């Protein structure tokens, strides 16, 4: 009930391409879905987040698509750059973020020239 | 804004000693902080939720007597690994909760790498 499933585990994308990472959740009580970016040896950094009352949110090259009925959400990185190479975690929480995060298993993204 | 620091960033200690890790919210007050543990190439595992002025809430399977958490002020939480053993070697990360316009958001510290010899 508390799981967040994330795929793929690893992803290689050419520079300039679109990187897509998918997550699915089970608990319908989740109401806040952030994405975090983590570089090796560093703590996760908040990238973008969405609430279920919208189907899409865009910030620069990063877009979250949200499908409430399917209980799925995804991160799209447009015009992917080598600097985007990192591990990405989706997460979900309840009470508009006021409770603990349930993390996905992570996606290691590599952008090749 | 929303900066969280951790100290130390690296610590190496002998087996049997205790190690204290500090987590500070630098530009905001955090009534709630979280402590995570992360093994290489794995996701973050929540260890405990720390609330200012009250006892921490530990996740199932986390030994509260081994991982002592103190949240004595609105900007500081500490994690003490008592009688550390090599299996406690890991990357420990804290986060602090801050209020936004529509939701609360967790901001993470840079992490502390612990190596127990």
């Amino acid at each position: 009930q508390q799981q967040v499933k994330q795929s793929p585990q690893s992803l290689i994308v050419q520079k300039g391409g679109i990187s897509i990472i998918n997550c699915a959740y089970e608990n319908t009580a989740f109401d806040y879905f952030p994405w975090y970016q983590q570089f090796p040896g560093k703590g996760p950094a908040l990238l973008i987040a969405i609430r279920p009352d919208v189907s899409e949110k865009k910030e620069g090259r990063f877009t979250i698509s949200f499908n409430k009925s399917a209980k799925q959400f995804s991160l799209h990185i447009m015009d992917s750059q080598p600097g985007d190479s990192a591990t990405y975690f989706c997460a979900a929480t309840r009470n508009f973020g006021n409770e603990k995060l349930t993390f996905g298993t992570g996606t290691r993204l590599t952008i090749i020239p | 804004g929303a900066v969280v620091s951790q100290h130390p960033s690296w610590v190496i200690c002998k087996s049997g000693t205790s190690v204290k890790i500090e987590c500070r919210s630098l530009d905001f007050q955090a009534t709630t902080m979280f402590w995570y543990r992360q093994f290489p190439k794995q996701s973050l595992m929540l260890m405990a939720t720390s609330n200012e002025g009250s006892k921490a809430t530990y996740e199932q399977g986390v030994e509260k007597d081994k991982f002592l958490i103190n949240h004595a002020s609105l900007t500081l939480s500490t994690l003490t690994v008592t009688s550390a053993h090599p299996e406690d070697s890991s990357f420990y990360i804290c986060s602090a909760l801050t209020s936004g316009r529509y939701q609360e958001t967790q901001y993470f510290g840079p992490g502390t790498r612990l190596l127990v010899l």
Side-chain angles (χ1 to χ4, degrees), chain B residues 76-87:
Chain B
L76 174 64
S77 176
T78 60
L79 168 68
T80 301
V81 183
T82 61
S83 187
H85 288 96
E87 58 265 29

Side-chain angles (χ1 to χ4, degrees), chain A residues 2-21:
Chain A
Q2 293 293 324
Q3 261 190 323
V4 176
K5 295 181 180 178
Q6 184 172 348
S7 63
Q9 187 174 3
S10 62
L11 180 62
I12 299 174
V13 175
Q14 267 197 315
K15 179 183 174 182
I18 303 173
S19 304
I20 302 174
I21 304 170

Side-chain angles (χ1 to χ4, degrees), chain A residues 9-112:
Chain A
Q9 187 174 3
S10 62
L11 180 62
I12 299 174
V13 175
Q14 267 197 315
K15 179 183 174 182
I18 303 173
S19 304
I20 302 174
I21 304 170
N22 301 298
C23 286
Y25 64 98
E26 298 170 358
N27 188 348
T28 55
F30 288 144
D31 56 16
Y32 181 57
F33 302 88
W35 283 87
Y36 288 88
Q37 178 190 56
Q38 186 179 30
F39 293 103
K42 306 293 183 183
L46 179 65
L47 197 59
I48 187 172
I50 197 168
R51 288 174 47 168
D53 51 347
V54 297
S55 59
E56 186 175 279
K57 182 174 181 181
K58 185 176 180 180
E59 289 184 2
R61 295 185 295 111
F62 301 94
T63 300
I64 300 179
S65 298
F66 189 85
N67 186 329
K68 189 174 181 178
S69 60
K71 291 187 284 186
Q72 295 175 348
F73 58 109
S74 60
L75 175 69
H76 291 63
I77 305 175
M78 312 299 287
D79 188 26
S80 300
Q81 298 296 312
D84 298 329
S85 297
T87 299
Y88 292 81
F89 293 97
C90 62
T93 184
R94 304 189 312 174
N95 199 13
F96 302 112
N98 203 23
E99 297 187 11
K100 62 185 181 182
L101 289 167
T102 298
F103 279 94
T105 49
T107 296
R108 178 169 287 194
L109 174 65
T110 303
I111 307 300
I112 56 175

Side-chain angles (χ1 to χ4, degrees), chain A residues 100-101 103, chain B residues 6 21 33-39 43-50 56-64 66-69 78-82 87-88 90-95 106 108 112 114:
Chain A
K100 62 185 181 182
L101 289 167
F103 279 94
Chain B
Q6 278 185 244
I21 302 170
M33 291 183 174
F34 301 87
W35 286 96
Y36 295 83
R37 185 173 181 177
Q38 186 178 35
F39 292 106
S43 189
L44 287 82
M45 182 191 81
L46 179 66
M47 300 175 66
T49 303
S50 167
T57 302
Y58 290 82
E59 294 298 299
Q60 192 172 10
V62 178
E63 299 175 60
K64 61 180 181 180
K66 180 167 186 64
F67 299 100
L68 300 178
I69 292 173
T78 60
L79 168 68
T80 301
V81 183
T82 61
E87 58 265 29
D88 299 323
S90 189
F91 192 48
Y92 292 88
I93 311 172
C94 71
S95 70
Q106 282 192 42
F108 285 82
T112 296
L114 170 63

Side-chain angles (χ1 to χ4, degrees), chain B:
Chain B
V3 178
V4 177
S5 71
Q6 278 185 244
H7 178 80
S9 55
W10 262 98
V11 57
I12 301 173
C13 69
K14 292 182 179 180
S15 185
T17 61
S18 295
V19 174
K20 180 184 282 189
I21 302 170
E22 293 185 348
C23 176
R24 293 182 185 272
S25 55
L26 297 185
D27 51 0
F28 63 98
Q29 294 183 329
T31 55
T32 303
M33 291 183 174
F34 301 87
W35 286 96
Y36 295 83
R37 185 173 181 177
Q38 186 178 35
F39 292 106
K41 298 184 180 181
Q42 292 190 22
S43 189
L44 287 82
M45 182 191 81
L46 179 66
M47 300 175 66
T49 303
S50 167
N51 290 296
E52 186 265 340
S54 62
K55 290 183 179 180
T57 302
Y58 290 82
E59 294 298 299
Q60 192 172 10
V62 178
E63 299 175 60
K64 61 180 181 180
D65 294 330
K66 180 167 186 64
F67 299 100
L68 300 178
I69 292 173
N70 183 280
H71 194 159
S73 79
L74 288 172
T75 59
L76 174 64
S77 176
T78 60
L79 168 68
T80 301
V81 183
T82 61
S83 187
H85 288 96
E87 58 265 29
D88 299 323
S89 298
S90 189
F91 192 48
Y92 292 88
I93 311 172
C94 71
S95 70
L97 204 56
T98 183
S99 297
R101 186 173 179 184
Y102 301 109
Q103 71 279 315
E104 305 280 319
T105 300
Q106 282 192 42
Y107 289 92
F108 285 82
T112 296
R113 190 162 301 281
L114 170 63
L115 178 61
V116 184
L117 302 176

